[in-house]
Amino acid sequence: MSELLLDGQIALVTGASRGIGRACAIELAKNGAKIVINYTNNSEAAESCKVEIENLGSEAIIVQADVSIPSDAETLITTAEEHFGKIDILVNNAGINRDRTVQRMAVEEWQTVIETDLSSMFYCTNRVVTGMRERGYGRIINMSSIIGQMGNLGQSNYAAAKAGMIAFTKSAAKELARFGITVNAVCPGFIATDMVDALDENIKEQLIAQIPAGRFGTAEEVAATVRFLCTEGSFYTGAQMSLNGGQYM
Ligand code: NAP
């Protein structure tokens, strides 16, 4: 078999059971990486992602962990490092939304989104950089969003978390560049996954009307951006990779 660009590399993708995370895990595996699949609830989806990766001739393990809980994130990183010996690529992808206007939003809805979408990125990155620094190599990719760039009605919690990811990305990129570690944010527009499928049909039509490309993006298009950052993007760090069909420029 000819050599692949990510042969010998280990990638940990949080929230890899479904949607964008799953597509990233599969795309990185297609390029030779071995994968740590993280999920929190849907073990069946995680198992089917593992089977798909094994059918590609690569290797994967599944680690159930709620990355919004610091001790779970720590166990996730430790388990991955013990199994594969290292982590070269961390994709901080796990995320949820709990949409509500500012006035109606419950404190719990604010806190859950901040913990799951923003704090989880710190918990995982904080644990993974030690090994990356020792080896002088790492690729950290934070799944932000167009909403973190432009804001949105009813999404103040999600927008704050995703904008926070961008600011964290820039700071970590400055700290870690000298150790051979790049840190980038990917900012997708609306992508056809369970998260967007859950919206009312009339909201989806209104959203598509705002997208010059006239459609939602695909998880595979986002995964291609993540793969590019890992295989060819060595001079990208602190960047916001926007892919949104022209919805926000
Ligand atoms: P999705 O289809 O709802 O999948 C979410 C994934 O995250 C699932 O694998 C889920 O695991 C996992 N997850 C959720 N909470 C978790 C936790 N606490 N710990 C570990 N895993 C957790 O979402 P998606 O649309 O693919 O979105 C993925 C990321 O892209 C999110 O950060 C989202 O904000 C971002 N994004 C999405 C869009 C879009 O339009 N879809 C646009 C921009 C950015 P289970 O299967 O176990 O539930």
Side-chain angles (χ1 to χ4, degrees):
M1 218 164 87
S2 61
E3 207 165 296
L4 298 166
L5 287 167
L6 299 179
D7 271 348
Q9 294 204 24
I10 310 300
L12 163 55
V13 183
T14 69
S17 46
R18 295 183 288 116
I20 292 171
R22 181 193 180 97
C24 291
I26 290 165
E27 179 65 17
L28 295 173
K30 274 184 189 162
N31 284 271
K34 292 179 182 166
I35 309 295
V36 182
I37 299 166
N38 159 251
Y39 77 103
T40 182
N41 289 312
N42 196 330
S43 56
E44 211 174 303
E47 190 55 45
S48 91
C49 181
K50 181 173 187 275
V51 169
E52 200 167 332
I53 287 169
E54 286 168 351
N55 288 342
L56 291 165
S58 188
E59 194 183 323
I61 60 163
I62 298 173
V63 186
Q64 194 274 341
D66 179 343
V67 289
S68 70
I69 301 172
S71 57
D72 266 32
E74 173 149 14
T75 305
L76 168 64
I77 304 296
T78 308
T79 307
E81 288 183 336
E82 278 175 7
H83 184 87
F84 283 122
K86 61 173 183 163
I87 299 168
D88 302 293
I89 299 166
L90 169 65
V91 185
N92 286 307
N93 166 80
I96 55 165
N97 57 341
R98 296 284 182 272
D99 298 352
R100 197 87 61 201
T101 59
V102 173
Q103 194 184 351
R104 290 173 187 271
M105 188 174 293
V107 169
E108 191 274 338
E109 289 169 326
W110 171 267
Q111 288 175 338
T112 308
V113 170
I114 297 294
E115 282 299 300
T116 307
D117 294 32
L118 178 63
S119 303
S120 66
M121 171 192 59
F122 166 69
Y123 302 147
C124 292
T125 305
N126 172 254
R127 302 305 308 175
V128 96
V129 287
T130 306
M132 287 180 172
R133 279 183 55 160
E134 280 165 12
R135 290 183 300 278
Y137 180 84
R139 296 283 174 267
I140 299 172
I141 293 150
N142 298 323
M143 200 55 68
S144 179
S145 169
I146 188 175
I147 306 301
Q149 298 171 305
M150 69 175 196
N152 202 22
L153 298 173
Q155 293 200 294
S156 58
N157 49 0
Y158 186 79
K162 294 299 181 181
M165 292 182 87
I166 294 169
F168 176 93
T169 297
K170 293 178 187 176
S171 301
K174 287 185 180 180
E175 283 182 25
L176 296 169
R178 67 184 182 279
F179 303 109
I181 303 169
T182 66
V183 189
N184 291 289
V186 174
C187 300
F190 286 86
I191 306 299
T193 66
D194 293 346
M195 190 179 268
V196 166
D197 280 351
L199 298 170
D200 290 342
E201 279 310 313
N202 65 327
I203 304 270
K204 286 193 229 176
E205 276 169 33
Q206 284 171 31
L207 284 171
I208 287 177
Q210 294 165 22
I211 304 171
R215 65 171 177 89
F216 293 138
T218 67
E220 289 71 26
E221 287 171 317
V222 182
T225 306
V226 170
R227 192 260 305 139
F228 167 78
L229 287 169
C230 297
T231 55
E232 286 143 293
S234 47
F235 203 50
Y236 286 77
T237 198
Q240 296 169 57
M241 308 294 280
S242 300
L243 64 159
N244 56 43
Q247 188 178 1
Y248 181 78
M249 300 174 191

